Amino acid sequence: MKHLSLLFVFLLINNLLLAQDKKAQMLKNISKKEMFYGAIAKQIWNFAEVGYQETRSSALLQETLTKEGFTIQKGVAEIPTAFVASYGEGKPVIGILGEYDALPGFSQDSTADQKSIGTMAGHACGHHLFGTASAAAAIAVKEYMKANNIKGTIRFYGCPAEEGGSGKVYMVRAGLFNDVDAVLHWHPSSFNTASFGTSLANKSGKFRFYGISAHASASPEKGRSALDGVEAMNNMVNMLREHIPSDSRIHYVITNGGKAPNVVPDFAEVYYYARNPRRDIVIDVWSRIEKAAKGAALGTDTRVEWELTGGTYELLANETLTQVMQDNLVKVGGLNYTPEERAFAERLSKNLGLNYLRYEDATGIKPLDVEKTGAGGSTDVGDVSWAVPTVGLSVATWVPGTPAHSWQAVAAGGMSIGRKGMMIAAKTLALTAVQLLESPETVKKAKEEFQKARGGDFKYISLVGDRKPALDYRK
């Protein structure tokens, strides 16, 4: 009996070591393709296509996954640049999200000084890295499944227009996640950690005022200024800020204010966002913004129409999956900067106005903080997280201290620091996906936590209603 027990222990240890070797080999295979994936990310960085216009970016990722044996569903959820790439069959089904939209107004070279390259947009949120690393992870998992005869399905979700277009909302609404057991995602950042906590729910849209044009000096009494309507609305919304929950956020930009000072504008447009950690509060705040628009039109004798262009849920965290993700991130480890990258980082940090560069944020892993309750941004991953257990991580693709949506983020994302961070994300996603494929008990535990957190009476109702995707919201 003693010999049998020793034999059992020996076999168990041997199997564990063998499994570790297989996963180590998977990570090596990902590392070998760093320059290949780096070139793909740089192409998408150069494309810099904004939401729902990511034709070349989407096509490049589809081509890459097709060559690796994935089956592609194109144009899903009535979105030309959205797609689903699948490999394998049966359960469990593990999804990996990928984004690839850029932000308007961020033309920037991959240099430590601000230098435009003459484009209309730039990857100030690093989605060129996001989409590429997620595709790399999906391919690595496919290779692991094939080499080790692992049953199940790995899916890459090509998700356009995260930046205000709510692309994933339409994908959730179309039922594309209904059979998925767990979803993984990541996001470029200035530090490394698995992401636990929520985000801000969001509603966004454009308010269009219509007036009557006239000569602003010779016959102003005959005009009705659409710009007056926009400005009156903005004034009322700014007063509204005092009377909504203090953790709410409202932002706007005037996208069209007229063409010439001596012409009373007969058209003007303002683009609004409203956010709060709770979607019910966002719904209420947005309704009050709409009332301000109506009042502004009445007071200026103009007419107003509005179009809801986006709406997202807050993230629903899953501690079970987050702990798995964090453990795998620790195994992968942080970045190692070369002397050249350190010089770039030091110069960029001066342009950021930083007195001290926290290299440890990039080279190390921040401890998992399960007490963290929220973040300052919004994401359409929120809707996915209410449809299926979901987990994400942040990886230092930017110089520590860099804010998202900045030219500094574009710069670091277009050079080797961004590429290195991207590969850390790819490895962590791959390890996590493989662990879930091989551990049905972990998937079960995550689902149980998910069901409890979501509540038995939950029914998904999209914040964008039944409207079709706002494919022209960036035009």
Side-chain angles (χ1 to χ4, degrees), residues 335-345 359 415-417 420:
L335 281 74
N336 290 312
Y337 281 11
T338 65
E340 292 78 14
E341 289 163 349
R342 278 184 171 267
F344 176 94
Y359 280 112
M415 50 88 68
S416 57
I417 288 175
K420 284 183 173 181

Side-chain angles (χ1 to χ4, degrees), residues 37 61 64-65 70 96-98 130-140 156:
Y37 289 123
L61 291 173
T64 302
L65 289 156
F70 282 76
I96 302 178
L97 306 180
F130 188 162
T132 306
S134 294
I139 291 167
F156 175 93

Side-chain angles (χ1 to χ4, degrees), residues 198-203 274-286 311-316 382-383 385-386 453-454 457-463:
T198 186
S199 61
L200 301 182
N202 173 297
K203 288 191 79 169
R275 312 185 203 236
N276 188 274
R278 289 171 43 187
R279 61 185 179 277
D280 59 325
I281 292 178
V282 168
I283 291 168
D284 178 65
V285 170
W286 187 260
T312 63
Y313 277 39
E314 64 273 24
L315 276 167
L316 183 63
D383 289 64
S385 73
W386 286 82
R454 192 173 68 161
D457 59 349
F458 172 79
K459 182 180 179 181
Y460 178 70
I461 301 174
S462 164
L463 294 188

Side-chain angles (χ1 to χ4, degrees), residues 4 39 44 112 156 244 250 263 278 291 344 382:
L4 288 174
I44 297 173
F156 175 93
I244 59 176
I250 301 175
V263 178
R278 289 171 43 187
K291 290 176 182 176
F344 176 94

Side-chain angles (χ1 to χ4, degrees), residues 215-371:
H215 195 294
S217 181
S219 52
E221 74 282 358
K222 294 181 180 179
R224 297 294 183 270
S225 173
L227 180 59
D228 284 353
V230 164
E231 291 188 310
M233 176 187 176
N234 292 346
N235 283 333
M236 283 189 279
V237 172
N238 285 331
M239 288 186 284
L240 173 65
R241 296 178 192 275
E242 184 181 356
H243 307 289
I244 59 176
S246 60
D247 52 355
S248 302
R249 297 286 185 272
I250 301 175
H251 338 283
Y252 63 82
V253 291
I254 298 174
T255 51
N256 191 326
K259 304 301 180 186
N262 63 338
V263 178
V264 176
D266 63 355
F267 176 77
E269 181 186 79
V270 60
Y271 187 7
Y272 264 86
Y273 272 45
R275 312 185 203 236
N276 188 274
R278 289 171 43 187
R279 61 185 179 277
D280 59 325
I281 292 178
V282 168
I283 291 168
D284 178 65
V285 170
W286 187 260
S287 71
R288 296 174 72 183
I289 291 173
E290 290 178 350
K291 290 176 182 176
K294 292 177 184 177
L298 183 64
T300 56
D301 199 15
T302 57
R303 179 173 60 88
V304 66
E305 298 175 350
W306 58 87
E307 177 188 10
L308 185 69
T309 56
T312 63
Y313 277 39
E314 64 273 24
L315 276 167
L316 183 63
N318 191 285
E319 188 174 348
T320 299
L321 294 180
T322 304
Q323 190 62 64
V324 173
M325 184 78 87
Q326 177 76 2
D327 291 344
N328 285 316
L329 177 58
V330 170
K331 290 175 185 175
V332 173
L335 281 74
N336 290 312
Y337 281 11
T338 65
E340 292 78 14
E341 289 163 349
R342 278 184 171 267
F344 176 94
E346 294 287 348
R347 187 173 183 86
L348 195 69
S349 69
K350 288 184 173 61
N351 281 319
L352 284 164
L354 300 177
N355 295 321
Y356 172 70
L357 188 55
R358 290 176 53 89
Y359 280 112
E360 60 270 27
D361 285 354
T363 60
I365 310 298
K366 283 193 172 185
L368 181 61
D369 183 4
V370 296
E371 299 300 321

